[in-house]
Amino acid sequence: MGRVSQAQARENRRRVVETASRLFREQGVHVSVADLMKAAGLTHGGFYKQFDSKEALVDEATAHAFGELARTYGLDHGRGAREPGEREAGRRAPAAQRELIEAYLSVRHRDNAAEGCPVAGLATDMARTDEGREAHRVYAEGVRDFADVLATEEEDGLVRLCTMLGALVLARATRDDPLSEDVLAAARTALTDGG
């Protein structure tokens, strides 16, 4: 089999990163390289031509997932390192915040983890990731950025994010029970109707 062009190699890498980003959010980073490459429509042997290690792919896929989150919810992701605890309020208009909260705490988001929020989808894996890894740094920065957007004059964005994240995780865990939609509705009401 002949060599692929540089353009095709870039396209293959993009496909692998996008596929990994979705699979990791849906199934966790324990997905095998063979399964990941199959889902991307590529051969297992091609993985190490693109990435030094699976950990390198986890780093890149995490950054990709947070880039998608930023585009979806209008976050200012990647604006640079800040000290822990140093947050800036996004000060979104109340209507825009309400729309974001309603979309986040929706049945559609609950049922589409692969395309959903990496804060929820990668939380367990990041808890097990070495703090020195790029994925861990990107994850922490993404959490801060998301909290910034959720802040209001009266409410801390981090508290609001924790409420949303907890509700989404509980709703996913109870998906086959009416409790799932009750959890989403209760959190939406608490965050959009003055709690």
Side-chain angles (χ1 to χ4, degrees):
M1 183 171 200
R3 295 178 52 110
V4 298
S5 68
Q6 288 181 345
Q8 185 61 52
R10 283 191 301 275
E11 172 60 19
N12 291 350
R13 183 182 186 92
R14 183 197 60 75
R15 272 185 19 210
V16 172
V17 170
E18 286 181 0
T19 301
S21 176
R22 287 191 317 275
L23 287 177
F24 292 166
R25 282 179 277 176
E26 183 178 51
Q27 299 174 25
V29 299
H30 64 276
V31 172
S32 72
V33 169
D35 288 344
L36 188 141
M37 294 301 282
K38 182 177 179 181
L42 299 167
T43 64
H44 179 260
F47 178 83
Y48 292 102
K49 292 177 184 166
Q50 297 288 335
F51 302 95
D52 291 335
S53 65
K54 185 175 176 188
E55 290 77 18
L57 175 60
V58 170
D59 290 346
E60 199 166 328
T62 300
H64 180 81
F66 274 98
E68 285 183 353
L69 178 73
R71 287 185 295 282
T72 299
Y73 293 115
L75 308 182
D76 191 13
H77 181 64
R79 68 177 156 218
R82 289 171 281 162
E83 294 296 317
E86 177 189 346
R87 298 199 314 266
E88 303 167 13
R91 301 293 184 248
R92 283 183 156 212
Q97 280 199 350
R98 179 183 201 91
E99 187 178 312
L100 184 155
I101 291 165
E102 288 175 353
Y104 192 95
L105 295 172
S106 68
V107 170
R108 182 181 183 285
H109 188 215
R110 177 200 68 189
D111 293 346
N112 290 290
E115 296 172 7
C117 176
V119 177
L122 299 174
T124 304
D125 290 313
M126 289 302 116
R128 296 183 188 111
T129 300
D130 175 31
E131 291 181 25
R133 298 243 16 118
E134 178 67 5
H136 196 272
R137 186 199 63 74
V138 167
Y139 185 87
E141 180 180 295
V143 168
R144 281 193 282 283
D145 291 344
F146 203 1
D148 290 347
V149 169
L150 292 169
T152 67
E153 291 291 334
E154 300 83 26
E155 297 180 71
D156 185 306
L158 199 51
V159 171
R160 297 180 95 203
L161 177 57
C162 289
T163 300
M164 290 167 55
L165 175 64
L168 182 63
V169 169
L170 288 173
R172 285 179 176 167
T174 60
R175 181 175 305 168
D176 295 330
D177 190 286
L179 176 63
S180 179
E181 290 187 38
D182 292 344
V183 167
L184 292 173
R188 274 193 314 268
T189 298
L191 292 169
T192 60
D193 293 342

